[in-house]
Amino acid sequence: MNKRTLLSLAILGLVGTSSYTVAQEHAAAPMLKQPPKREMPTGPSLVEMRSDILMQFESSYNSAGKPAIAVFWNRKFDDQLSQWYQTVRFSQTGESAIKGSDKFEPQGGDQAAYERNVSGGGKIVSAQYLETRAQEQTRRGFDESTGFEFSAGFTSTFLQVPAKIIDRDAIMRLVQRDNAKQAGAEMISDYQKIETDSLMGYADYLAEVLLTPDSRGDTGWAFMVTVKSVKDGSVIAMFKSPANVPVDGPPKEYWTTTANGYEKVVEQRQIGTPTDVGEQLAFETMQALSRIWK
């Protein structure tokens, strides 16, 4: 081993025993220069997408023969057959009695006198029923003002086609008026029966729009939409959605100056109004129906 090697070993030993490296953590240096702008990928705007949905729905709606659609707002067309149900029944059994008598008296001459008397009576069975009106459907949902805004957004979107939208309350009134006119007197109506007769007479399809609480929705609600054929009861469309208004294109990004330098800001999606949500749900319903009515 020469002198140069010994000297190198001595220096390495000295360094190893007297020095060491300490790792330090520190925040990233602020960006002091605005980064170059990047071109964001572009696609169809929300207006363009909705225009395309309207065109597709109009074509499929016309192909289906322009059917009439009755809308039930937050109400189910359920299996209850009547709004009345029987709670008490009284009945009596029938009774009957018969009594007969014969009388024979010979009277002068060759022929005898004969007389028969029969008497009796009977009672028919009678029954009395006590019926109670069933409680109508009560579901949680929008207050009146919000409900007006939502239903206006939903209906007005369909009327752009234009599609034939039927109001449940209106057709029930019309059917009840016709029934009372035929009966010739005021009659006690059962809305369950009137509701069914109304659909059979005026609508081709029934659209139920039910609400259920959902914190992810713009309105605090989600919607269950079910479309059924009035003719045979078949379900042709069913989906659940919060109907949030989608972002119009890619999210917009920009850089802003702060005390720490430049920071990137991504614009958040705007929360939709009840009218906006009604419009969005209408477009989603159109898409679902367009896939069926081809």
Side-chain angles (χ1 to χ4, degrees):
M1 183 179 298
N2 56 32
K3 292 181 180 181
R4 182 175 295 179
T5 303
L6 291 174
L7 180 59
S8 299
L9 291 175
I11 292 173
L12 288 173
L14 181 61
V15 172
T17 58
S18 61
S19 65
Y20 55 89
T21 303
V22 178
Q24 296 182 353
E25 295 182 1
H26 57 82
M31 182 179 294
L32 301 179
K33 183 180 179 182
Q34 185 174 4
K37 292 183 179 180
R38 293 182 301 172
E39 294 294 332
M40 298 297 293
T42 59
S45 66
L46 182 60
V47 173
E48 292 171 335
M49 290 189 294
R50 286 184 167 181
S51 177
D52 185 55
I53 293 173
L54 278 174
M55 291 178 59
Q56 292 182 15
F57 178 74
E58 182 177 7
S59 175
S60 60
Y61 180 75
N62 292 338
S63 298
K66 298 182 178 181
I69 306 172
V71 181
F72 278 25
W73 301 111
N74 206 26
R75 181 181 183 83
K76 287 181 64 66
F77 187 64
D78 57 23
D79 60 356
Q80 183 179 334
L81 302 181
S82 174
Q83 72 183 103
W84 299 90
Y85 66 92
Q86 180 181 317
T87 57
V88 180
R89 175 181 178 181
F90 301 96
S91 63
Q92 293 179 333
T93 58
E95 297 178 359
S96 62
I98 297 177
K99 182 179 180 181
S101 62
D102 294 324
K103 184 178 181 182
F104 176 75
E105 292 183 357
Q107 297 179 354
D110 298 333
Q111 295 183 352
Y114 176 75
E115 180 182 353
R116 166 168 282 189
N117 295 317
V118 179
S119 62
K123 296 181 180 179
I124 62 173
V125 177
S126 64
Q128 294 179 339
Y129 303 91
L130 178 62
E131 294 184 332
T132 304
R133 186 188 295 269
Q135 185 177 1
E136 294 190 35
Q137 295 185 37
T138 54
R139 296 182 56 87
R140 294 176 57 194
F142 293 132
D143 58 55
E144 186 175 57
S145 178
T146 305
F148 287 162
E149 294 181 44
F150 169 79
S151 58
F154 184 93
T155 305
S156 62
T157 303
F158 273 92
L159 295 181
Q160 293 181 51
V161 175
K164 189 176 182 181
I165 302 298
I166 305 297
D167 180 72
R168 167 187 176 270
D169 296 340
I171 58 177
M172 287 183 64
R173 290 278 187 174
L174 293 172
V175 169
Q176 163 60 11
R177 175 182 175 276
D178 292 341
N179 290 348
K181 198 172 183 180
Q182 293 175 5
E186 189 69 21
M187 55 187 296
I188 300 176
S189 301
D190 189 324
Y191 73 80
Q192 298 291 110
K193 181 181 183 302
I194 297 295
E195 190 175 61
T196 304
D197 291 343
S198 302
L199 290 173
M200 295 298 296
Y202 286 90
D204 301 300
Y205 291 92
L206 163 65
E208 296 174 350
V209 182
L210 303 180
L211 280 68
T212 183
D214 192 329
S215 59
R216 297 169 298 178
D218 284 356
T219 58
W221 300 88
F223 307 91
M224 185 69 183
V225 178
T226 307
V227 183
K228 307 172 185 177
S229 168
V230 173
K231 181 180 179 180
D232 56 15
S234 60
V235 176
I236 66 168
M238 177 183 287
F239 66 93
K240 178 185 176 184
S241 171
N244 291 339
V245 179
V247 178
D248 191 0
K252 297 179 181 179
E253 300 179 357
Y254 61 91
W255 293 83
T256 184
T257 56
T258 67
N260 297 322
Y262 283 98
E263 292 185 359
K264 184 168 67 172
V265 177
V266 180
E267 287 189 351
Q268 301 297 314
R269 182 183 65 85
Q270 291 186 348
I271 302 301
T273 66
T275 301
D276 295 332
V277 171
E279 292 175 352
Q280 176 61 25
L281 191 67
F283 281 111
E284 293 178 11
T285 305
M286 287 180 177
Q287 285 182 300
L289 293 176
S290 295
R291 289 191 287 266
I292 304 300
W293 295 336
K294 296 181 179 179

